[in-house]
Amino acid sequence: MVPVPPPLSPPLCTLPPGPGPARFVCYCDAEGTGAKDQGGFNFYVTDAAELWSTCFTPESLAALKARFGLSAAEDIIHRFRAACEQQTVTFTLLEDGASLTLSGGPLALDLNLSKVPGPETASRLQALTLGLAERVCSMERWLTATEETAASPRKSPRRVGPQQFLPDPDPQRGGPGPGVRRRCPGESLINPGFKSKKPASGVDFDDL
């Protein structure tokens, strides 16, 4: 049985995109039950020392959804996940904050971010670190279970089909069944159809 993969986690990406070294981590977060549509949903960008956030309020989040024709905050998450997969997320530091752009859709989402105060930054970075560690451990457990399942021997199912058998012997004579030629008395076993030669009798020394 193939192990069930871990549930889909909230999307995140490293910036700048590409093979070079990462400088920032960009992710989204929703606080509390039902908070996604109540102002608890936000984007965050961090360099592991400082933190920037969209700081959405219920009013600003509703204005963002109306501006880009989004029905719920989940639509923003889908846009963010697609932008992460397509590597079309751009983060820019400004003098009084930062900006985050999600491209790849009909309209690019331009978001303004503000710097988060120090005490809140520490608690959020701690939650991010622990969450990432749990995601890594969960993925490693799933990969290990998948490898063990792939390495375990599998029983090959028996193929059910017509079976061929040799003809049954004649139940009355105990000989071969129909289609098998009977050997005549004295016939050679090596060369069927020829009489076997008389076995040599040897030399009788009494007749000499």
Side-chain angles (χ1 to χ4, degrees), residues 111-205:
L111 307 171
N112 296 323
L113 287 78
S114 302
K115 193 172 182 179
V116 178
E120 183 181 353
T121 296
S123 61
R124 290 194 177 277
L125 291 183
Q126 181 185 35
L128 173 64
T129 302
L130 295 177
L132 291 177
E134 176 58 31
R135 290 170 66 171
V136 172
C137 293
S138 177
M139 182 60 66
E140 287 183 346
R141 289 192 296 266
W142 177 72
L143 290 175
T144 300
T146 303
E147 292 175 355
E148 292 176 353
T149 302
S152 61
R154 299 180 178 179
K155 294 182 179 181
S156 57
R158 291 187 175 181
R159 299 180 59 183
V160 180
Q163 298 180 351
Q164 297 180 354
F165 298 93
L166 294 176
D168 294 333
D170 190 333
Q172 296 181 353
R173 300 183 180 181
V180 180
R181 180 177 174 274
R182 294 180 57 83
R183 188 171 63 87
C184 297
E187 185 177 359
S188 174
L189 292 174
I190 301 177
N191 298 315
F194 294 88
K195 294 289 185 177
S196 59
K197 295 181 179 180
K198 184 178 180 181
S201 59
V203 179
D204 191 354
F205 288 95

Side-chain angles (χ1 to χ4, degrees), residues 85-116:
E85 294 174 353
Q86 300 170 9
Q87 297 186 350
T88 56
V89 180
T90 305
F91 176 69
T92 305
L93 283 174
L94 305 174
E95 292 183 0
D96 56 347
S99 66
L100 185 68
T101 302
L102 309 182
S103 304
L107 293 175
L109 292 179
D110 296 319
L111 307 171
N112 296 323
L113 287 78
S114 302
K115 193 172 182 179
V116 178

